[in-house]
Amino acid sequence: MSWRRWNYVLHRDIGFLCIGLTLLYAISGVAVNHIKEWNPSYSVERVETNVGPVVGNPADAATALMILARLGEPGKLESSYRPDRNSLQLFVEGRSITVDLPSGHVVHDRAIPRPVLREMNFLHLNHPKKAWTWFADLYAVALAFLAVSGLFMLRRDTLRRGLILTGIGVVIPVFFLFLYL
Amino acid sequence: MRTFLVVILLVAMFSPVTAFAKDFGKGVSLSEETAISSILDTPADYVGKKVKVSGLIIDVCSKRGCWIYLAGDRDFEKIRIKVTDGEIVFPMEARGKVATVEGVVESMVLTREEVIKRRKHHAEEKGVAFDPATVTSGETVLRIRGLGASIDGV
């Protein structure tokens, strides 16, 4: 088999292998690019309500349970913290409930993981580390191969157009480097 | 066989990743634990030194997971653990869990403008209002540059 044929076969098959990860990195890339405007992995909800003045010892678990009962909160109390003399922070299944004891004002913070997107970001941003680092490196090498092998697939009739478009693709990041660096 | 492969692929694509590692970063190796109250009482004794502390996680950076607040061993006290973005990522689910953290104690002297910038950033992250007029002077901030952590139950 000629080298051109090998180049074509490898480009095609490695390309197929890369489709899933390319989509993952592309979707997650857009999501994390806008991290200033939104939270790409969690939808953070903040609900304020009032349960009325709370009397009783804030260090006492019964006080915390009474607050949860007033809130109609079915979750299990995991732990609590006193940020100051007048406040009590309760943790229920990863959620935070902060109560101003004298007024009964409650701030309920809940972080809901964005389905699929959070998992994509988890991989894209290499949170797992370990073996995933090597796999992601392998994917980067595969992408580099696809880029270079693609150049060798240019035919005479598309050579000029291919070279111009490739040149534009190289010039664009260089332009932004001049603009912002 | 084809149907089986499609099912496996779909399950793999849409299954939530729940298995966050218990250990983060370099983990925890120091044997002696330091009370957060000791660091807050005599910071000069600890600045620049590596310590191991533990406490309840009372807040987590919701956007990048790049910091947590640990409750102190006394009421009303806490200390911030800051980690390098991306190197360690604390999940939001860690709130309310107990963490053991290892890192270097840092002391930062901030001007009023720096305090405003910092608090504004934190308020934006949490989606709460912030009034710069509430900051009247600069301050010294004590924190731990986290190198590794171990969190129970995440």
Side-chain angles (χ1 to χ4, degrees), chain A residues 56-113:
Chain A
N57 183 1
D60 195 344
T63 307
L65 293 174
M66 183 256 288
I67 294 167
L68 294 185
R70 284 193 197 174
L71 281 169
E73 171 60 62
K76 189 180 164 221
L77 176 69
E78 289 177 340
S79 47
S80 65
Y81 168 69
R82 294 185 65 191
D84 54 60
R85 289 193 184 282
N86 290 330
S87 307
L88 183 62
Q89 191 178 7
L90 309 174
F91 297 96
V92 179
E93 292 163 9
R95 286 170 282 137
S96 163
I97 299 166
T98 307
V99 189
D100 180 64
L101 301 168
S103 68
H105 180 251
V106 174
V107 177
H108 196 148
D109 268 326
R110 170 194 298 229
I112 305 160

Side-chain angles (χ1 to χ4, degrees), chain B residues 29-43:
Chain B
S29 58
L30 288 177
S31 54
E32 194 183 334
E33 190 170 307
T34 305
I36 290 172
S37 57
S38 299
I39 298 170
L40 298 175
D41 285 345
T42 54

Side-chain angles (χ1 to χ4, degrees), chain A residues 106-172:
Chain A
V106 174
V107 177
H108 196 148
D109 268 326
R110 170 194 298 229
I112 305 160
R114 297 187 192 279
V116 184
L117 201 52
R118 180 191 173 220
E119 285 75 34
M120 285 181 165
N121 298 336
F122 180 77
L123 293 175
H124 182 185
L125 300 173
N126 192 16
H127 293 177
K129 307 277 189 299
K130 300 173 187 153
W132 179 257
T133 305
W134 298 103
F135 188 74
D137 285 351
L138 197 63
Y139 167 67
V141 171
L143 277 189
F145 172 79
L146 289 178
V148 175
S149 60
L151 286 176
F152 290 101
M153 290 168 72
L154 291 171
R155 289 181 304 214
R156 198 175 295 274
D157 55 331
T158 55
L159 183 66
R160 185 181 158 82
R161 196 170 74 177
L163 289 177
I164 289 172
L165 290 174
T166 304
I168 291 172
V170 171
V171 165
I172 287 172

